[in-house]
Each structure stands twice: as structure tokens, then as C-alpha cells.
Amino acid sequence: MIDPDEHRRGLGRVLLRHAEETLLARYPVIRLETFPDNVRARALYEACGWVSGGLLEDEGPAKSVYTRSAAAS
């Protein structure tokens, strides 16, 4: 999570790219979750090529799920 005072500086993209590179070197598909009302995070993930997998409503509050594969990088 990036401090709201630091938003719009590219830090989220840098951190996300680092996590993608690290995890996709080991796993063919990676997944992340965010709250459905976190519009800014969802916009970032989609702009970075993550694919929405819909809502996860198993336990606790609902979450939006996103995936990314090594093939999509």
C-alpha cells in the first residue's frame, strides 16, 4: 500500500512490477485481492495488465480478485 500523500508518483507501478517479476519467475499465474470499492487500486491493476476474476465472497468482506500470468507479461 502506498501512502495516499505519495499517490500518482509511479511508486505503486514500481512496487507492483517488482512483485510481478519476483513471483512470475517462480509461479505461472499469480493472484491478488482488493476490496471492490478500492477504485484507484483496481484502476492501477487493470492499467498494468491484471485481469479481473470477479468477486470472492467466501468469508469476510467481498474482495475483487485479479490474476496475471507469465505469458501475459
Side-chain angles (χ1 to χ4, degrees), residues 19-37:
E20 291 170 358
E21 290 171 358
T22 301
L23 293 170
L24 288 171
R26 217 171 153 185
Y27 304 100
V29 178
I30 55 177
R31 178 180 116 169
L32 62 80
E33 300 172 0
T34 189
F35 295 111
D37 62 344

Side-chain angles (χ1 to χ4, degrees), residues 3 8 10 12 16-17 27-28 30 40 49 55 65 67 71 73:
D3 184 313
R8 310 291 306 163
L16 189 58
R17 190 173 312 123
Y27 304 100
I30 55 177
R40 292 178 93 176
L55 289 178
V65 177
T67 59
S73 295

Side-chain angles (χ1 to χ4, degrees), residues 1-3 7-8 10-20 23-24 30-55 62-69 72-73:
M1 183 169 149
I2 303 296
D3 184 313
H7 283 189
R8 310 291 306 163
L11 299 173
R13 284 182 186 270
V14 169
L15 288 174
L16 189 58
R17 190 173 312 123
H18 176 71
E20 291 170 358
L23 293 170
L24 288 171
I30 55 177
R31 178 180 116 169
L32 62 80
E33 300 172 0
T34 189
F35 295 111
D37 62 344
N38 192 343
V39 176
R40 292 178 93 176
R42 292 176 48 220
L44 171 66
Y45 303 144
E46 291 170 14
C48 290
W50 286 75
V51 177
S52 176
L55 289 178
K63 297 177 193 98
S64 293
V65 177
Y66 287 86
T67 59
R68 182 133 173 116
S69 68
S73 295

